[in-house]
Amino acid sequence: MQPRTGKTCGAQSTHTSSRLVLAAILPRKNRRPRGPGAEASPGSADRTGTSAFRTTVRVGSNGPMRIETIETFLADQIAIVRIRTDDGAEGIGQTSPFRPGLSVRLLHEMAAPHFLGQDPWDLEALVERCLRKEYKFPSTFLYRALCGIDTALWDLLGKVTGQPVHKLLGGQVRDFVPMYASSMSRSITPEAEAERLAALREEYGFRAAKVRIGDVMGADRDASPGRTEKLIPHIREVMGDDFTIHADANSGFSVSRAIRVGRILEDHGYGHFEEPCPYPLLENTAQVAAALDIPVAGGEQDNSLVQFRRMIESHAVDIVQPDIGYIGGVARARRVARMAEDAGIPCTPHCSNTSMLQVFTLHLAASMPACHQFHEWGIEDTPWTRGVYEPELRLENGGVKVSTAPGWGVEITPEFLRDAHHEVSSR
């Protein structure tokens, strides 16, 4: 069914279900408080999901709950997804950031029909069925859209059961996740980079960081002449020997250049060497990994589970880095983390911004034994991630304490929902 659109600055667009229902605001003594606004007064308007609780009661059926609506709220680089079932349960998620308008289009037109009317508990099977049915369209934007649906369903199931998502993923392995300060900048000088990393260590207790070397898909170019060779020793000199430093080339080097740079990193005691060669050229990365002692990391750009199996079994990487937003959600990222665990290598999910993806990654890291290293915490200022959800994650003593609240443990702010462009697909 085609989505209905409208900007939610006033009345929310509505839809009519294709099946016979009795929609009623139940008397308070019979209402089940499941989700935001459950204690709101009967008859109050339901505009953003944070006021009244509306229950849909099926006539003559005691079957499982079914996905009734899939909504998107798009603003700037963020697309929030909200899923509601026919019995009033709801969950929130987010597509991968960047070009989210394209992800929203594919979500409503291609992905949503595979989920509407289905049982949320079939989450993983539904994701894989969608990918099988749409096998002729293996677009990154389909996977980014699936991330929004997958993460909203995990939140819904957590709220239904009263459990945090990490409990549903396999149980809590750790209650505190250490973070590394992740720089996104190649325009910053080595001196300025070292200065700000030292300040962040002092303020937040970071014990690790990552810097950018080379240039993105750079074919052996540097962001500025000689920057890589200047940056590597200078950061180590300023931060000292008891501080972990990673380096990310973002697919910047040929095999020979990557090996030379890798040896410089080894000489200065760096932690890992991320994406040294263009990521589609897995064999090139494997040559670099074989030649160096420093662990080689990769996988953030990949969305194929078969490709992850290849990179692990061929020892192309020593650390695997699925991105929940790029791979199609938490269920698929969890499968990569389990591959890593079986192979005896670390899984350090990629997460370079402070959107809801950071919340999802935190829960994955809390539940997977292979996710035992420092995890990524972006340090660049991103105004588009502010005011999206609350409570915000708190960074203390170089890491984040894992929430024990149901679902993701956060809610989307009413202001974001009010101002975002709203679309809904319904069955």
Side-chain angles (χ1 to χ4, degrees):
M1 181 174 291
Q2 292 295 315
R4 302 184 181 215
T5 64
K7 191 166 178 70
T8 54
C9 299
Q12 181 173 314
S13 60
T14 60
H15 67 279
T16 302
S17 174
S18 61
R19 58 181 174 76
L20 179 62
V21 298
L22 170 64
I25 302 298
L26 300 179
R28 184 173 300 275
K29 65 180 181 180
N30 293 327
R31 283 161 56 198
R32 290 182 292 167
R34 300 175 60 183
E39 295 305 315
S41 59
S44 57
D46 178 11
R47 298 185 185 278
T48 67
T50 58
S51 54
F53 175 69
R54 177 180 178 272
T55 300
T56 304
V57 183
R58 283 183 291 180
V59 176
S61 174
N62 294 315
M65 60 180 172
R66 300 292 177 180
I67 297 171
E68 186 74 9
T69 59
I70 301 176
E71 301 170 87
T72 55
F73 299 84
L74 174 64
D76 205 332
Q77 296 299 319
I78 299 288
I80 294 298
V81 178
R82 181 170 66 191
I83 292 179
R84 285 173 165 161
T85 63
D86 55 0
D87 67 348
E90 71 173 53
I92 55 169
Q94 183 197 306
T95 71
S96 180
F98 311 116
R99 307 296 296 273
L102 292 174
S103 298
V104 166
R105 286 270 50 77
L106 266 70
L107 185 150
H108 287 291
E109 295 182 15
M110 189 175 289
H114 296 288
F115 292 84
L116 290 168
Q118 302 301 312
D119 183 348
W121 283 106
D122 294 333
L123 184 162
E124 192 161 2
L126 293 172
V127 168
E128 293 308 315
R129 187 177 74 176
C130 174
L131 291 172
R132 285 196 307 274
K133 295 288 188 179
E134 304 296 346
Y135 74 98
K136 285 188 176 292
F137 309 99
S139 163
T140 181
F141 288 103
L142 177 57
Y143 287 94
R144 289 164 181 256
L146 281 172
C147 173
I149 294 176
D150 166 284
T151 52
L153 288 174
W154 280 113
D155 186 57
L156 185 152
L157 296 177
K159 289 172 178 173
V160 166
T161 58
Q163 297 294 324
V165 170
H166 61 262
K167 290 283 190 181
L168 304 182
L169 293 175
Q172 188 173 34
V173 176
R174 54 190 63 85
D175 61 7
F176 181 84
V177 177
M179 298 289 178
Y180 66 79
S182 184
S183 169
M184 303 291 129
S185 178
R186 286 181 167 85
S187 60
I188 193 170
T189 66
E191 294 77 15
E193 185 72 287
E195 182 179 353
R196 73 167 176 164
L197 290 177
L200 288 168
R201 176 175 60 181
E202 181 68 24
E203 184 174 0
Y204 295 108
F206 284 114
R207 293 179 289 122
K210 184 170 75 179
V211 295
R212 305 284 162 158
I213 58 175
D215 204 1
V216 178
M217 303 295 283
D220 289 340
R221 296 185 303 273
D222 220 340
S224 59
R227 181 179 181 274
T228 293
E229 284 78 5
K230 295 174 187 175
L231 180 74
I232 293 170
H234 185 72
I235 298 296
R236 173 55 72 202
E237 179 183 1
V238 172
M239 301 308 291
D241 292 336
D242 60 347
F243 189 85
T244 299
I245 310 170
H246 303 314
D248 190 349
N250 288 114
S251 296
F253 299 135
S254 65
V255 172
S256 58
R257 170 75 168 142
I259 292 172
R260 289 197 299 273
V261 171
R263 288 178 178 148
I264 299 172
L265 294 170
E266 290 175 345
D267 289 342
H268 292 87
Y270 272 56
H272 75 229
F273 187 7
E274 187 168 330
E275 212 173 71
C277 301
Y279 72 90
L281 303 179
L282 198 58
E283 296 79 8
N284 289 16
T285 302
Q287 290 182 59
V288 175
L292 297 174
D293 292 326
I294 186 173
V296 169
E300 71 171 84
Q301 312 292 351
D302 293 284
N303 52 36
S304 165
L305 295 177
V306 173
Q307 182 77 336
F308 275 104
R309 189 179 72 233
R310 284 196 196 101
M311 73 174 67
I312 291 171
E313 291 181 351
S314 67
H315 306 288
V317 297
D318 305 293
I319 302 168
V320 67
Q321 297 179 298
D323 185 300
I324 289 172
Y326 302 163
I327 199 173
V330 172
R332 289 169 59 81
R334 176 176 62 170
R335 292 173 67 177
V336 175
R338 286 178 169 164
M339 289 183 204
E341 182 184 358
D342 290 343
I345 66 172
C347 175
T348 306
H350 173 264
C351 183
S352 59
N353 64 78
T354 57
S355 68
M356 283 279 289
L357 270 293
Q358 201 168 54
V359 177
F360 312 151
T361 304
L362 182 69
H363 281 261
L364 182 67
S367 65
M368 293 290 104
C371 298
H372 56 79
Q373 296 192 329
F374 292 104
H375 285 68
E376 190 167 25
W377 184 278
I379 62 174
E380 309 303 337
D381 183 28
T382 52
W384 49 271
T385 63
R386 297 182 201 143
V388 177
Y389 70 90
E390 55 189 9
E392 295 183 346
L393 298 183
R394 291 178 60 84
L395 181 66
E396 296 177 336
N397 300 318
V400 179
K401 187 172 177 59
V402 181
S403 171
T404 58
W408 298 122
V410 301
E411 295 296 340
I412 307 303
T413 64
E415 293 79 14
F416 182 91
L417 294 174
R418 179 195 66 210
D419 296 337
H421 179 76
H422 177 235
E423 296 184 50
V424 56
S425 290
S426 59
R427 68 177 181 135

